[in-house]
Amino acid sequence: MLDFLAPSILRQSRPRHSSTSACSPSDGAQNTSQDSAAGSPKPTYILSKKQRQYLDSALRVNQAGELAATLIYTAQTPQVVRSHPHLRPLMRHMYDQEAGHFSTFNKLIAKHRIHPTAMYPVWEVAATFLGWSTGVMGREAAMACTEAVETEIGSHYNDQVREILSWEADAKSRGEELDDELKEMLATFRRIRDEELEHLDHAVENDAKEAQPYDPLVNVIRLGCRAAIKISERV
């Protein structure tokens, strides 16, 4: 299912040894010396079934989360920029980054044949309503929504990064290394996490904490995000 988990790299990188009848002893000694100097490639770390299931779940949740983010900004932006035209570039910047994240995870789940969450239609409606309703409440509420969502999403990405780093540490302890595609996925998760936290900073800078009522609004949104993550992990 996940082609980056297959030991293809191991097969491609495994050195081909000549038979003893095909080379002289001196040739063999020379080849051994060259191999030693170059350094043998490390074997690829093979993920367990539980680890593969974790990645399936992570990619499914991430795609759903990025879908929601694009819909929230789509619903918020017209209302926010109508009253605050100077925020148009910021709203566009945040939307564009979320759209890029969504595209990234669309490609990953298609490549690895992972089914999107069955709750997709529900999250579409919920995200659009959340964006519209906080946009109606005003700039501060819209920014508080961003703060709440990005706090949960940033923390979730950070958990994923830590999990994969624990696999990397385990691989090193065995004298192995992660598959190149898994390394790239780790870098992608880190980059997207940092961009999500950048949105959190933008929200706070634009008076998210001035929203009324701030605490109930943020707490409800964060609770909803956590529930959506848990459901999407399983369904």
Side-chain angles (χ1 to χ4, degrees), residues 26-86:
S26 60
D27 289 338
Q30 182 177 4
N31 290 337
T32 301
S33 177
Q34 290 174 347
D35 289 343
S36 177
S40 299
K42 291 182 180 179
T44 300
Y45 183 72
I46 305 301
L47 298 186
S48 67
K49 180 180 179 181
K50 183 177 180 181
Q51 288 169 326
R52 293 195 301 270
Q53 290 173 339
Y54 179 88
L55 278 181
D56 280 6
S57 174
L59 292 174
R60 182 169 54 249
V61 170
N62 294 351
Q63 188 219 25
E66 299 303 340
L67 165 72
T70 60
L71 294 174
I72 288 170
Y73 284 124
T74 297
Q76 282 180 341
T77 298
Q79 300 171 88
V80 171
V81 303
R82 188 179 299 122
S83 301
H84 305 277
H86 68 285

Short mmCIF file of all heavy atoms in Angstrom, two decimals, residues 26-86:
data_model
loop_
_atom_site.label_atom_id
_atom_site.label_comp_id
_atom_site.label_asym_id
_atom_site.label_seq_id
_atom_site.Cartn_x
_atom_site.Cartn_y
_atom_site.Cartn_z
N SER A 26 43.98 -10.31 -6.06
CA SER A 26 44.40 -8.91 -5.93
C SER A 26 43.25 -7.98 -6.27
O SER A 26 43.07 -6.93 -5.64
CB SER A 26 45.60 -8.63 -6.85
OG SER A 26 45.26 -8.87 -8.21
N ASP A 27 42.44 -8.38 -7.27
CA ASP A 27 41.27 -7.57 -7.61
C ASP A 27 40.31 -7.52 -6.43
O ASP A 27 39.75 -6.47 -6.10
CB ASP A 27 40.55 -8.15 -8.82
CG ASP A 27 41.34 -7.95 -10.11
OD1 ASP A 27 42.19 -7.04 -10.12
OD2 ASP A 27 41.10 -8.71 -11.08
N GLY A 28 40.13 -8.68 -5.79
CA GLY A 28 39.21 -8.72 -4.65
C GLY A 28 39.70 -7.84 -3.53
O GLY A 28 38.92 -7.13 -2.89
N ALA A 29 40.99 -7.85 -3.27
CA ALA A 29 41.54 -7.00 -2.21
C ALA A 29 41.35 -5.54 -2.55
O ALA A 29 41.04 -4.71 -1.69
CB ALA A 29 43.02 -7.32 -2.01
N GLN A 30 41.55 -5.21 -3.85
CA GLN A 30 41.39 -3.81 -4.26
C GLN A 30 39.94 -3.37 -4.09
O GLN A 30 39.68 -2.28 -3.60
CB GLN A 30 41.82 -3.66 -5.72
CG GLN A 30 41.76 -2.21 -6.22
CD GLN A 30 42.25 -2.11 -7.65
OE1 GLN A 30 42.56 -3.11 -8.28
NE2 GLN A 30 42.31 -0.89 -8.15
N ASN A 31 38.99 -4.24 -4.50
CA ASN A 31 37.58 -3.89 -4.37
C ASN A 31 37.18 -3.72 -2.91
O ASN A 31 36.42 -2.82 -2.56
CB ASN A 31 36.70 -4.98 -5.01
CG ASN A 31 36.83 -4.98 -6.53
OD1 ASN A 31 37.20 -3.97 -7.10
ND2 ASN A 31 36.51 -6.11 -7.16
N THR A 32 37.70 -4.62 -2.06
CA THR A 32 37.40 -4.52 -0.63
C THR A 32 37.90 -3.21 -0.07
O THR A 32 37.23 -2.55 0.73
CB THR A 32 38.03 -5.70 0.13
OG1 THR A 32 37.52 -6.92 -0.40
CG2 THR A 32 37.74 -5.60 1.62
N SER A 33 39.10 -2.83 -0.49
CA SER A 33 39.67 -1.57 -0.02
C SER A 33 38.83 -0.40 -0.47
O SER A 33 38.57 0.53 0.29
CB SER A 33 41.11 -1.43 -0.55
OG SER A 33 41.65 -0.19 -0.18
N GLN A 34 38.36 -0.43 -1.75
CA GLN A 34 37.55 0.66 -2.27
C GLN A 34 36.22 0.72 -1.54
O GLN A 34 35.73 1.81 -1.20
CB GLN A 34 37.33 0.46 -3.78
CG GLN A 34 38.59 0.68 -4.60
CD GLN A 34 38.37 0.34 -6.07
OE1 GLN A 34 37.36 -0.29 -6.42
NE2 GLN A 34 39.30 0.74 -6.91
N ASP A 35 35.59 -0.45 -1.31
CA ASP A 35 34.32 -0.47 -0.60
C ASP A 35 34.47 0.10 0.80
O ASP A 35 33.62 0.84 1.29
CB ASP A 35 33.78 -1.90 -0.49
CG ASP A 35 33.30 -2.42 -1.85
OD1 ASP A 35 33.11 -1.57 -2.74
OD2 ASP A 35 33.13 -3.65 -1.99
N SER A 36 35.56 -0.25 1.46
CA SER A 36 35.80 0.24 2.81
C SER A 36 35.98 1.74 2.82
O SER A 36 35.49 2.44 3.70
CB SER A 36 37.04 -0.46 3.40
OG SER A 36 37.32 0.05 4.68
N ALA A 37 36.69 2.25 1.79
CA ALA A 37 36.93 3.69 1.74
C ALA A 37 35.64 4.44 1.45
O ALA A 37 35.39 5.51 2.01
CB ALA A 37 37.97 4.00 0.65
N ALA A 38 34.82 3.87 0.56
CA ALA A 38 33.59 4.56 0.18
C ALA A 38 32.54 4.47 1.28
O ALA A 38 31.72 5.36 1.44
CB ALA A 38 33.04 3.96 -1.11
N GLY A 39 32.58 3.41 2.05
CA GLY A 39 31.58 3.21 3.10
C GLY A 39 30.37 2.50 2.56
O GLY A 39 29.80 2.91 1.56
N SER A 40 29.97 1.41 3.20
CA SER A 40 28.82 0.65 2.73
C SER A 40 27.54 1.39 3.08
O SER A 40 27.44 2.01 4.14
CB SER A 40 28.81 -0.73 3.39
OG SER A 40 29.99 -1.43 3.04
N PRO A 41 26.53 1.35 2.18
CA PRO A 41 25.26 2.01 2.48
C PRO A 41 24.56 1.32 3.64
O PRO A 41 24.64 0.10 3.79
CB PRO A 41 24.47 1.86 1.18
CG PRO A 41 25.08 0.68 0.49
CD PRO A 41 26.54 0.71 0.86
N LYS A 42 23.86 2.10 4.45
CA LYS A 42 23.15 1.53 5.58
C LYS A 42 21.87 0.86 5.07
O LYS A 42 21.25 1.33 4.13
CB LYS A 42 22.78 2.62 6.58
CG LYS A 42 23.96 3.22 7.30
CD LYS A 42 23.48 4.26 8.31
CE LYS A 42 24.66 4.88 9.07
NZ LYS A 42 24.20 5.90 10.03
N PRO A 43 21.47 -0.23 5.69
CA PRO A 43 20.20 -0.86 5.30
C PRO A 43 19.03 0.05 5.65
O PRO A 43 19.11 0.88 6.55
CB PRO A 43 20.18 -2.14 6.13
CG PRO A 43 21.12 -1.90 7.27
CD PRO A 43 22.18 -0.97 6.75
N THR A 44 17.96 -0.11 4.91
CA THR A 44 16.78 0.73 5.11
C THR A 44 15.94 0.23 6.29
O THR A 44 15.73 -0.97 6.45
CB THR A 44 15.91 0.73 3.84
OG1 THR A 44 16.69 1.25 2.76
CG2 THR A 44 14.67 1.60 4.01
N TYR A 45 15.48 1.15 7.09
CA TYR A 45 14.61 0.85 8.23
C TYR A 45 13.22 0.47 7.71
O TYR A 45 12.59 1.24 6.99
CB TYR A 45 14.52 2.08 9.12
CG TYR A 45 13.73 1.94 10.39
CD1 TYR A 45 14.21 1.20 11.46
CD2 TYR A 45 12.50 2.61 10.53
CE1 TYR A 45 13.49 1.12 12.64
CE2 TYR A 45 11.78 2.52 11.70
CZ TYR A 45 12.27 1.78 12.76
OH TYR A 45 11.56 1.69 13.93
N ILE A 46 12.75 -0.72 8.04
CA ILE A 46 11.45 -1.20 7.59
C ILE A 46 10.42 -0.97 8.69
O ILE A 46 10.59 -1.42 9.82
CB ILE A 46 11.51 -2.70 7.22
CG1 ILE A 46 12.63 -2.95 6.19
CG2 ILE A 46 10.16 -3.16 6.68
CD1 ILE A 46 12.48 -2.17 4.91
N LEU A 47 9.36 -0.27 8.34
CA LEU A 47 8.34 0.06 9.33
C LEU A 47 7.48 -1.16 9.66
O LEU A 47 7.23 -2.01 8.82
CB LEU A 47 7.44 1.17 8.81
CG LEU A 47 8.10 2.52 8.51
CD1 LEU A 47 7.04 3.54 8.14
CD2 LEU A 47 8.96 3.01 9.66
N SER A 48 7.03 -1.19 10.90
CA SER A 48 6.12 -2.24 11.34
C SER A 48 4.71 -1.96 10.83
O SER A 48 4.42 -0.88 10.32
CB SER A 48 6.10 -2.30 12.87
OG SER A 48 5.51 -1.11 13.39
N LYS A 49 3.84 -2.92 10.98
CA LYS A 49 2.43 -2.73 10.57
C LYS A 49 1.81 -1.58 11.34
O LYS A 49 1.07 -0.76 10.76
CB LYS A 49 1.65 -4.03 10.83
CG LYS A 49 0.18 -3.92 10.44
CD LYS A 49 -0.55 -5.23 10.71
CE LYS A 49 -2.03 -5.10 10.35
NZ LYS A 49 -2.77 -6.36 10.61
N LYS A 50 2.11 -1.48 12.62
CA LYS A 50 1.55 -0.39 13.44
C LYS A 50 2.06 0.97 12.96
O LYS A 50 1.30 1.95 12.92
CB LYS A 50 1.95 -0.61 14.91
CG LYS A 50 1.36 0.41 15.86
CD LYS A 50 1.72 0.09 17.30
CE LYS A 50 1.13 1.13 18.26
NZ LYS A 50 1.51 0.82 19.68
N GLN A 51 3.32 1.04 12.59
CA GLN A 51 3.87 2.30 12.09
C GLN A 51 3.26 2.68 10.75
O GLN A 51 2.97 3.85 10.50
CB GLN A 51 5.39 2.20 11.98
CG GLN A 51 6.09 2.18 13.33
CD GLN A 51 7.56 1.81 13.22
OE1 GLN A 51 7.94 0.99 12.37
NE2 GLN A 51 8.39 2.39 14.06
N ARG A 52 3.03 1.70 9.88
CA ARG A 52 2.39 1.97 8.60
C ARG A 52 0.97 2.47 8.80
O ARG A 52 0.51 3.39 8.12
CB ARG A 52 2.40 0.72 7.71
CG ARG A 52 3.79 0.29 7.27
CD ARG A 52 3.73 -0.70 6.12
NE ARG A 52 2.98 -1.91 6.45
CZ ARG A 52 3.52 -2.99 6.99
NH1 ARG A 52 4.82 -3.03 7.29
NH2 ARG A 52 2.77 -4.05 7.24
N GLN A 53 0.28 1.88 9.76
CA GLN A 53 -1.08 2.33 10.06
C GLN A 53 -1.07 3.75 10.61
O GLN A 53 -1.98 4.55 10.31
CB GLN A 53 -1.73 1.37 11.07
CG GLN A 53 -2.06 0.00 10.49
CD GLN A 53 -2.54 -0.98 11.55
OE1 GLN A 53 -2.29 -0.81 12.75
NE2 GLN A 53 -3.21 -2.03 11.11
N TYR A 54 -0.05 4.06 11.38
CA TYR A 54 0.06 5.43 11.91
C TYR A 54 0.20 6.44 10.77
O TYR A 54 -0.44 7.49 10.77
CB TYR A 54 1.27 5.53 12.85
CG TYR A 54 1.48 6.92 13.41
CD1 TYR A 54 0.84 7.33 14.57
CD2 TYR A 54 2.30 7.84 12.75
CE1 TYR A 54 1.02 8.61 15.07
CE2 TYR A 54 2.48 9.12 13.25
CZ TYR A 54 1.84 9.50 14.41
OH TYR A 54 2.00 10.78 14.90
N LEU A 55 1.04 6.11 9.78
CA LEU A 55 1.22 7.02 8.66
C LEU A 55 -0.05 7.15 7.82
O LEU A 55 -0.38 8.25 7.37
CB LEU A 55 2.38 6.55 7.78
CG LEU A 55 3.78 6.93 8.23
CD1 LEU A 55 4.81 6.40 7.24
CD2 LEU A 55 3.93 8.43 8.39
N ASP A 56 -0.75 6.07 7.61
CA ASP A 56 -2.04 6.12 6.91
C ASP A 56 -2.96 7.12 7.61
O ASP A 56 -3.57 8.00 6.98
CB ASP A 56 -2.72 4.75 6.92
CG ASP A 56 -2.16 3.81 5.86
OD1 ASP A 56 -1.18 4.17 5.19
OD2 ASP A 56 -2.72 2.71 5.71
N SER A 57 -3.06 6.96 8.92
CA SER A 57 -3.94 7.82 9.71
C SER A 57 -3.49 9.27 9.67
O SER A 57 -4.29 10.19 9.51
CB SER A 57 -3.96 7.31 11.16
OG SER A 57 -4.69 8.19 11.98
N ALA A 58 -2.17 9.48 9.78
CA ALA A 58 -1.63 10.85 9.78
C ALA A 58 -1.94 11.56 8.47
O ALA A 58 -2.37 12.73 8.46
CB ALA A 58 -0.13 10.82 10.03
N LEU A 59 -1.72 10.89 7.36
CA LEU A 59 -1.96 11.51 6.06
C LEU A 59 -3.45 11.79 5.84
O LEU A 59 -3.83 12.82 5.27
CB LEU A 59 -1.41 10.64 4.94
CG LEU A 59 0.12 10.51 4.91
CD1 LEU A 59 0.55 9.50 3.85
CD2 LEU A 59 0.78 11.86 4.64
N ARG A 60 -4.30 10.88 6.30
CA ARG A 60 -5.74 11.08 6.16
C ARG A 60 -6.21 12.28 6.97
O ARG A 60 -6.97 13.13 6.48
CB ARG A 60 -6.48 9.82 6.60
CG ARG A 60 -7.99 9.91 6.44
CD ARG A 60 -8.67 8.55 6.62
NE ARG A 60 -8.32 7.93 7.88
CZ ARG A 60 -7.56 6.84 7.99
NH1 ARG A 60 -7.04 6.27 6.92
NH2 ARG A 60 -7.30 6.33 9.18
N VAL A 61 -5.73 12.38 8.21
CA VAL A 61 -6.11 13.51 9.06
C VAL A 61 -5.57 14.83 8.51
O VAL A 61 -6.26 15.84 8.49
CB VAL A 61 -5.59 13.29 10.50
CG1 VAL A 61 -5.76 14.56 11.33
CG2 VAL A 61 -6.34 12.15 11.16
N ASN A 62 -4.33 14.80 8.04
CA ASN A 62 -3.72 16.03 7.53
C ASN A 62 -4.47 16.56 6.30
O ASN A 62 -4.68 17.77 6.16
CB ASN A 62 -2.25 15.79 7.19
CG ASN A 62 -1.42 15.50 8.42
OD1 ASN A 62 -1.89 15.64 9.55
ND2 ASN A 62 -0.18 15.09 8.22
N GLN A 63 -4.86 15.65 5.43
CA GLN A 63 -5.62 16.10 4.26
C GLN A 63 -6.94 16.72 4.68
O GLN A 63 -7.34 17.78 4.17
CB GLN A 63 -5.87 14.93 3.31
CG GLN A 63 -6.48 15.37 1.98
CD GLN A 63 -7.54 14.42 1.47
OE1 GLN A 63 -8.16 13.69 2.24
NE2 GLN A 63 -7.76 14.44 0.18
N ALA A 64 -7.64 16.08 5.61
CA ALA A 64 -8.92 16.61 6.08
C ALA A 64 -8.74 17.98 6.75
O ALA A 64 -9.54 18.90 6.54
CB ALA A 64 -9.56 15.63 7.06
N GLY A 65 -7.67 18.11 7.53
CA GLY A 65 -7.42 19.38 8.21
C GLY A 65 -7.12 20.51 7.24
O GLY A 65 -7.58 21.65 7.43
N GLU A 66 -6.37 20.20 6.20
CA GLU A 66 -6.04 21.25 5.23
C GLU A 66 -7.25 21.61 4.37
O GLU A 66 -7.40 22.76 3.96
CB GLU A 66 -4.86 20.80 4.36
CG GLU A 66 -3.58 20.53 5.13
CD GLU A 66 -3.09 21.72 5.96
OE1 GLU A 66 -3.51 22.87 5.68
OE2 GLU A 66 -2.30 21.50 6.89
N LEU A 67 -8.11 20.63 4.09
CA LEU A 67 -9.38 20.95 3.43
C LEU A 67 -10.16 21.95 4.27
O LEU A 67 -10.65 22.97 3.76
CB LEU A 67 -10.20 19.68 3.24
CG LEU A 67 -11.68 19.91 2.89
CD1 LEU A 67 -11.83 20.40 1.46
CD2 LEU A 67 -12.50 18.64 3.12
N ALA A 68 -10.29 21.66 5.56
CA ALA A 68 -11.04 22.54 6.45
C ALA A 68 -10.44 23.94 6.48
O ALA A 68 -11.17 24.94 6.45
CB ALA A 68 -11.09 21.94 7.85
N ALA A 69 -9.13 24.02 6.52
CA ALA A 69 -8.47 25.33 6.60
C ALA A 69 -8.78 26.17 5.36
O ALA A 69 -9.06 27.37 5.47
CB ALA A 69 -6.97 25.15 6.76
N THR A 70 -8.73 25.56 4.18
CA THR A 70 -9.01 26.33 2.96
C THR A 70 -10.45 26.82 2.95
O THR A 70 -10.73 27.96 2.53
CB THR A 70 -8.75 25.49 1.69
OG1 THR A 70 -9.58 24.33 1.69
CG2 THR A 70 -7.29 25.07 1.60
N LEU A 71 -11.37 26.01 3.45
CA LEU A 71 -12.78 26.40 3.46
C LEU A 71 -13.06 27.48 4.49
O LEU A 71 -13.89 28.38 4.26
CB LEU A 71 -13.67 25.18 3.71
CG LEU A 71 -13.66 24.12 2.60
CD1 LEU A 71 -14.44 22.89 3.02
CD2 LEU A 71 -14.21 24.70 1.31
N ILE A 72 -12.38 27.42 5.62
CA ILE A 72 -12.55 28.46 6.64
C ILE A 72 -12.11 29.81 6.09
O ILE A 72 -12.84 30.81 6.20
CB ILE A 72 -11.74 28.10 7.90
CG1 ILE A 72 -12.40 26.94 8.64
CG2 ILE A 72 -11.63 29.32 8.83
CD1 ILE A 72 -11.57 26.36 9.77
N TYR A 73 -10.93 29.85 5.47
CA TYR A 73 -10.45 31.12 4.92
C TYR A 73 -11.32 31.61 3.77
O TYR A 73 -11.54 32.81 3.61
CB TYR A 73 -8.99 30.99 4.48
CG TYR A 73 -8.01 31.01 5.62
CD1 TYR A 73 -7.10 29.98 5.81
CD2 TYR A 73 -7.99 32.06 6.53
CE1 TYR A 73 -6.20 29.98 6.86
CE2 TYR A 73 -7.10 32.08 7.59
CZ TYR A 73 -6.21 31.04 7.75
OH TYR A 73 -5.32 31.06 8.80
N THR A 74 -11.81 30.68 2.96
CA THR A 74 -12.68 31.06 1.85
C THR A 74 -13.94 31.74 2.35
O THR A 74 -14.41 32.74 1.78
CB THR A 74 -13.06 29.82 1.01
OG1 THR A 74 -11.88 29.27 0.43
CG2 THR A 74 -14.03 30.18 -0.10
N ALA A 75 -14.51 31.21 3.44
CA ALA A 75 -15.74 31.78 4.00
C ALA A 75 -15.50 33.07 4.78
O ALA A 75 -16.36 33.96 4.81
CB ALA A 75 -16.43 30.74 4.88
N GLN A 76 -14.35 33.18 5.42
CA GLN A 76 -14.05 34.35 6.24
C GLN A 76 -13.66 35.58 5.41
O GLN A 76 -14.05 36.71 5.73
CB GLN A 76 -12.88 34.05 7.20
CG GLN A 76 -13.23 33.25 8.40
CD GLN A 76 -11.99 33.01 9.27
OE1 GLN A 76 -10.85 33.15 8.80
NE2 GLN A 76 -12.21 32.65 10.52
N THR A 77 -12.85 35.35 4.39
CA THR A 77 -12.16 36.45 3.71
C THR A 77 -13.07 37.55 3.20
O THR A 77 -12.80 38.74 3.45
CB THR A 77 -11.28 35.90 2.57
OG1 THR A 77 -10.28 35.05 3.14
CG2 THR A 77 -10.60 37.03 1.81
N PRO A 78 -14.16 37.27 2.48
CA PRO A 78 -14.99 38.37 1.97
C PRO A 78 -15.50 39.29 3.08
O PRO A 78 -15.54 40.52 2.91
CB PRO A 78 -16.14 37.65 1.27
CG PRO A 78 -15.60 36.31 0.92
CD PRO A 78 -14.68 35.96 2.05
N GLN A 79 -15.89 38.71 4.20
CA GLN A 79 -16.44 39.51 5.29
C GLN A 79 -15.35 40.30 6.02
O GLN A 79 -15.56 41.46 6.40
CB GLN A 79 -17.17 38.59 6.27
CG GLN A 79 -18.32 37.84 5.61
CD GLN A 79 -18.90 36.77 6.49
OE1 GLN A 79 -19.80 37.05 7.27
NE2 GLN A 79 -18.38 35.56 6.39
N VAL A 80 -14.20 39.67 6.20
CA VAL A 80 -13.11 40.36 6.91
C VAL A 80 -12.57 41.52 6.08
O VAL A 80 -12.40 42.64 6.59
CB VAL A 80 -11.98 39.36 7.26
CG1 VAL A 80 -10.76 40.10 7.79
CG2 VAL A 80 -12.47 38.34 8.28
N VAL A 81 -12.30 41.30 4.81
CA VAL A 81 -11.67 42.35 3.99
C VAL A 81 -12.67 43.45 3.62
O VAL A 81 -12.26 44.55 3.26
CB VAL A 81 -11.02 41.77 2.73
CG1 VAL A 81 -9.98 40.73 3.10
CG2 VAL A 81 -12.04 41.19 1.77
N ARG A 82 -13.96 43.17 3.73
CA ARG A 82 -14.95 44.21 3.46
C ARG A 82 -14.81 45.35 4.48
O ARG A 82 -14.90 46.53 4.13
CB ARG A 82 -16.36 43.64 3.53
CG ARG A 82 -17.46 44.62 3.08
CD ARG A 82 -18.83 43.96 3.15
NE ARG A 82 -18.90 42.80 2.27
CZ ARG A 82 -19.20 41.58 2.68
NH1 ARG A 82 -19.43 41.34 3.96
NH2 ARG A 82 -19.25 40.58 1.82
N SER A 83 -14.57 44.98 5.72
CA SER A 83 -14.41 45.98 6.78
C SER A 83 -12.96 46.39 7.00
O SER A 83 -12.68 47.47 7.52
CB SER A 83 -14.99 45.45 8.10
OG SER A 83 -16.35 45.13 7.97
N HIS A 84 -12.04 45.50 6.60
CA HIS A 84 -10.61 45.75 6.83
C HIS A 84 -9.83 45.42 5.55
O HIS A 84 -9.15 44.39 5.49
CB HIS A 84 -10.11 44.91 8.00
CG HIS A 84 -10.89 45.11 9.27
ND1 HIS A 84 -10.64 46.16 10.13
CD2 HIS A 84 -11.92 44.40 9.80
CE1 HIS A 84 -11.48 46.08 11.15
NE2 HIS A 84 -12.27 45.03 10.97
N PRO A 85 -9.91 46.29 4.54
CA PRO A 85 -9.27 46.01 3.25
C PRO A 85 -7.77 45.76 3.35
O PRO A 85 -7.21 45.03 2.52
CB PRO A 85 -9.56 47.27 2.43
CG PRO A 85 -10.73 47.91 3.09
CD PRO A 85 -10.63 47.57 4.54
N HIS A 86 -7.12 46.34 4.36
CA HIS A 86 -5.67 46.17 4.49
C HIS A 86 -5.29 44.72 4.81
O HIS A 86 -4.12 44.34 4.67
CB HIS A 86 -5.13 47.10 5.57
CG HIS A 86 -5.58 46.75 6.97
ND1 HIS A 86 -6.84 47.00 7.44
CD2 HIS A 86 -4.91 46.12 7.98
CE1 HIS A 86 -6.95 46.57 8.69
NE2 HIS A 86 -5.79 46.04 9.05
#
